[in-house]
Amino acid sequence: MYTDGMRQHSDAPMAHYAAMKMGDRIRQERESRSWTQEQLARKAGIARSTLSMIESGEADTTTDVFFRFVRAFKVSAEWLKTGAGDRYPPPGGGGYLPSVGGLEELADRLLAKGPDEIGRLMAIIAAKAAK
């Protein structure tokens, strides 16, 4: 049992989360909060049908949408992506960002998506840096 600052959670064994696919972790995390697909889709700024396809494994997330889920759930990026590591980052630790190895894997995944996805990420970073 652990607390994320707002409520207590019962955590399944780590091997269980590591064996799950990311869409399954997203669905389980959503359901553990008693959120509907519509509620999470609204928080992530995506269509409910897109969320349904991600949860069922019919579609992958973009990098942008992945980090929207991380922020909505306030979970670590590494845990949401792989099921490994701490589910919730330590308070004040800024642990929503992946580890260096996680960043390299994220870069590989982004490069595999192609130049359009890279361009979208660069535009997002530039917009956030300008704030």
Side-chain angles (χ1 to χ4, degrees):
M1 190 73 80
Y2 60 91
T3 304
D4 70 0
M6 295 173 24
R7 57 177 196 218
Q8 289 189 336
H9 299 273
S10 142
D11 203 4
M14 292 304 290
H16 171 71
Y17 286 116
M20 293 172 73
K21 293 182 180 178
M22 185 169 51
D24 294 329
R25 277 188 295 283
I26 291 169
R27 179 187 42 76
Q28 187 168 19
E29 189 67 20
R30 175 182 59 78
E31 289 175 348
S32 77
R33 295 162 186 266
S34 300
W35 291 353
T36 65
Q37 281 187 336
E38 186 63 40
Q39 288 170 311
L40 177 56
R42 200 172 26 251
K43 290 174 188 296
I46 61 174
R48 190 210 54 79
S49 60
T50 301
L51 174 59
S52 177
M53 290 172 55
I54 291 168
E55 287 185 351
S56 68
E58 296 175 46
D60 289 330
T61 70
T62 62
T63 303
D64 178 47
V65 170
F66 170 78
F67 282 105
R68 290 180 194 187
F69 290 137
V70 167
R71 286 190 297 276
F73 290 139
K74 295 182 173 61
V75 296
S76 75
E78 185 172 354
W79 176 83
L80 188 59
K81 182 176 186 243
T82 67
D86 292 333
R87 185 177 191 170
Y88 294 96
Y96 297 140
L97 298 176
S99 65
V100 172
L103 286 172
E104 289 175 7
E105 289 177 35
L106 188 58
D108 289 342
R109 183 175 174 201
L110 187 61
L111 288 169
K113 293 276 186 177
D116 290 341
E117 190 75 7
I118 294 169
R120 288 180 55 209
L121 178 61
M122 296 299 285
I124 291 167
I125 291 170
K128 290 188 179 283
K131 287 184 181 179

